[in-house]
Structures are given as structure tokens and as C-alpha cells.
Amino acid sequence: MMPDICDYEDSTYRTDFWEGQNRDYEDRVERIALHRLMPKSGHRLLELGAGFGRLTNEFEAYDQVVLLDYSRSQLEYARQQYGDDGFIYVAANIYQMPFAPGLFDVATMIRVLHHMQEPAKALHAVRDIMGADGVFILEYANKQNIKAIARWLLRQQTWSPFEQEPVEFVTLNYNFHPKHVRTLLREVGFEPGRQLTVSHFRMDVLKRLVPAGILATLDAGAQLTGNLWQLAPSVFTQSRAAGDTVETPVDAFWKCPTCGSLALSETVNSVDCEECGTRWAIVNGVYDFKEPIKKGGQLEADHPVS
Ligand SMILES: C[S@@+](CC[C@H](N)C(=O)[O-])C[C@H]1O[C@@H](n2cnc3c(N)ncnc32)[C@H](O)[C@@H]1O
Ligand SMILES: [Zn+2]
């Protein structure tokens, strides 16, 4: 059975969480961490859970950037910002991605793992589509953060920040222990490397009193302690794809999420599996692999292909 999905379709995430919401500090420090861990350029980068494309401009030096998200509306907004030159927009489930194995040299997943009900399954899916030696930059919400430790010591919180088990603090919102994440990464075939702790000064009172630029500079210094201890609310880690990697067959890009075939052909309006006959729509420039428009020979009503 597929894990539950935290659905952002038609959500107001951009306007309710980021724009004008006093999160300039968080945005800046995440970009600093990303810069430190990301190869500066490359061939093909996958942004997992790209949302409305908040961070996508950081990847403009790549030949091709694939934005994947479960929300079509978030992707449509991103497409209005970045257009189609060098960018591909894919509505799909991380647990069931429509890409040929080994396709990407770099992948990023920022503020997304905390929605994964089955993180091992999600990370496994990511490993499958990474090329040999591919770089994976993962951000996750850290349960072992100072605030959680203080609350636990003051008995204001029942769960221990030191236990490795993830904690679901709100439905489909999880915090993870750094050791647990590293174990998962290893189990699915990544070699976890450098860690940066991020957002040390994420406190309303500080953000109100100190300009975001100053807080970000302080955080940039504190990030560098990330390999020693992890007590900040957010952790960025860089991993490399290790072990056996399937080489992407020449010219392969899509993989049929229904039957696993790599023999898919593209028309103006759809991507069609030559093996099982399933078809997915391309709507408003977004490849929609959430629901097929044709399954088992029947056209489904909601996305008629003209
Ligand atoms: C908190 S937002 C982060 C967006 C972006 N990475 C950023 O930092 O601004 C989480 C995103 O993950 C996406 N998401 C959640 N579960 C997903 C899944 N199973 N497959 C694909 N995307 C998913 C949501 O649609 C949402 O856009
Ligand atoms: Zn198929």
C-alpha cells in the first residue's frame, strides 16, 4: 500500500508561509547551506518536492533542472517563474517516480522528508534514480534540537529528543533524529557525508530584534559545527550514491510508474507507455504522473486529451 501523502494541491504555502511572513532569515540560511553542499554546476538536477520553486533559481547553472512535486498548482506557479528553457515540471509521487534508473547526477530534497510517512521507502526511490557517484542533498527537521531538549527536560513534552524513532508532531509532519537519517541513507545505498546544522537562531524574538542579514551571517558560522553536533532545528546533509548503480539506457528518461517499462513515447499532450498502454497527460506544461488519463484502454474523464 502507498504511504499517505501530505497534499499541497491548491495550498497557500507560498503566501501563508513564505512571502511577507518574516522568514527571510530561514530562506537565506537554507541558501547558504545549499551553496556549500551543492556541486556548482552539472548536467541534470532533480529538485524533489520543489513546491512553488522557492529555491529553484539556485540551480540555474545546470543544463537541465527537473522540478518534481505532488502538487500541480505549485508546479504551475514555478513554471510561470522559470519557463521551459532548461526546466521540466513533473507532478508525481516521490514514492513512485516516473524516471529511468540512474538518471540524475544531483538531487535535492529540502523541507520534504518531514512529510514522509515512510522515509526509507522515499529515500530508496531517490537512490534508484541517482547515477553512479551522484550527489544527494537532503534537508530534514531535527528532533534533537535545543528547544525540544529544553521542553523535554522541563517535562513539557513527552517524547525524548534523543530517541532515534521519528516523531509525528502533527499529522504527516515528522521530526527525525540525525543518527536515524544517516542509518536510513546507508541502508538504501547512499554514503552520507558532510552535515550542516541550519537555522540556529529561529526564534521569533531574535528575528524581530536582529536584522535577517546579521542572523544569517551568525548562522553561516554556526552551520560549520554540523559535523560535530546537531542541535539546530534543521540539518542539511550531502550524500553520495554508493554501491551498484544501474546505468541509464541511452535515450531513456521516463519510466512507466505502472509497469516499470522504459519504452515511453511523448506526444504534444501525453506520455504513453508502449508496454502497458497507460497514458499520462501533459497539462499546462506540467507532466502529470499522478493519475493516468488512460488505463487499461479506458479514457478517464478528468483530463481529456485533445
Ligand atoms: C514544505 S514544502 C517545501 C517546498 C520546497 N522544497 C521549499 O523548500 O520551498 C513540501 C513540498 O513537498 C511536496 N510533497 C509532499 N509529499 C510529496 C510526495 N509524496 N511526492 C511529491 N511531492 C511531495 C508538497 O507538495 C510540497 O510542495
Ligand atoms: Zn507501462
Side-chain angles (χ1 to χ4, degrees), residues 75-131:
L75 291 170
E76 280 172 18
Y77 182 87
R79 183 168 176 254
Q80 286 165 23
Q81 312 306 306
Y82 299 104
D84 292 324
D85 190 12
F87 297 94
I88 296 181
Y89 305 86
V90 180
N93 188 352
I94 286 173
Y95 296 107
Q96 209 180 16
M97 286 188 280
F99 304 119
L103 194 66
F104 296 96
D105 5 281
V106 180
T108 65
M109 187 165 165
I110 293 158
R111 288 182 176 259
V112 176
L113 194 72
H114 72 277
H115 290 317
M116 296 292 120
Q117 191 177 48
E118 292 189 26
K121 193 179 168 91
L123 295 176
H124 198 279
V126 178
R127 176 63 190 87
D128 279 352
I129 54 170
M130 298 301 299

Side-chain angles (χ1 to χ4, degrees), residues 11-236:
S11 99
T12 48
Y13 176 60
R14 175 176 61 86
T15 46
D16 283 354
F17 193 82
W18 288 107
E19 290 179 6
Q21 301 301 320
N22 195 20
R23 289 210 166 80
D24 190 25
Y25 162 70
E26 284 87 343
D27 184 62
R28 285 181 191 226
V29 295
E30 289 175 19
R31 287 172 193 273
I32 292 169
L34 200 49
H35 271 266
R36 285 175 163 160
L37 298 179
M38 195 178 74
K40 295 299 161 257
S41 60
H43 176 47
R44 189 179 277 144
L45 178 141
L46 173 65
E47 191 180 1
L48 292 141
F52 64 91
R54 176 178 64 98
L55 297 168
T56 307
N57 62 332
E58 301 295 341
F59 311 132
E60 280 171 342
Y62 282 77
D63 298 337
Q64 189 177 61
V65 179
V66 179
L67 290 85
L68 176 132
D69 203 276
Y70 197 68
S71 160
R72 302 178 188 102
S73 51
Q74 299 284 316
L75 291 170
E76 280 172 18
Y77 182 87
R79 183 168 176 254
Q80 286 165 23
Q81 312 306 306
Y82 299 104
D84 292 324
D85 190 12
F87 297 94
I88 296 181
Y89 305 86
V90 180
N93 188 352
I94 286 173
Y95 296 107
Q96 209 180 16
M97 286 188 280
F99 304 119
L103 194 66
F104 296 96
D105 5 281
V106 180
T108 65
M109 187 165 165
I110 293 158
R111 288 182 176 259
V112 176
L113 194 72
H114 72 277
H115 290 317
M116 296 292 120
Q117 191 177 48
E118 292 189 26
K121 193 179 168 91
L123 295 176
H124 198 279
V126 178
R127 176 63 190 87
D128 279 352
I129 54 170
M130 298 301 299
D133 224 23
V135 175
F136 175 41
I137 296 162
L138 171 68
E139 183 276 347
Y140 60 90
N142 176 19
K143 74 179 285 200
Q144 184 193 249
N145 65 72
I146 292 275
K147 257 195 229 170
I149 295 171
R151 275 199 215 112
W152 183 68
L153 290 174
L154 295 169
R155 295 175 194 275
Q156 290 173 354
Q157 168 189 296
T158 50
W159 53 268
S160 163
F162 303 113
E163 277 168 15
Q164 291 199 30
E165 197 58 27
V167 57
E168 187 176 19
F169 58 97
V170 174
T171 306
L172 287 174
N173 281 263
Y174 303 84
N175 280 355
F176 296 93
H177 192 285
K179 275 202 183 126
H180 181 62
V181 173
R182 288 174 90 74
T183 303
L184 291 181
L185 284 165
R186 277 199 194 93
E187 278 174 6
V188 304
F190 282 109
E191 188 45 54
R194 192 173 176 203
Q195 304 179 81
L196 297 172
T197 42
V198 174
S199 265
H200 295 78
F201 308 108
R202 187 190 289 173
M203 270 169 269
D204 280 344
V205 58
L206 278 180
K207 290 201 296 177
R208 255 184 274 120
L209 294 174
V210 187
I214 295 179
L215 276 189
T217 306
L218 295 172
D219 196 77
Q223 287 184 9
L224 302 174
T225 61
N227 277 339
L228 303 172
W229 52 78
Q230 301 87 34
L231 302 172
S234 162
V235 178
F236 276 64

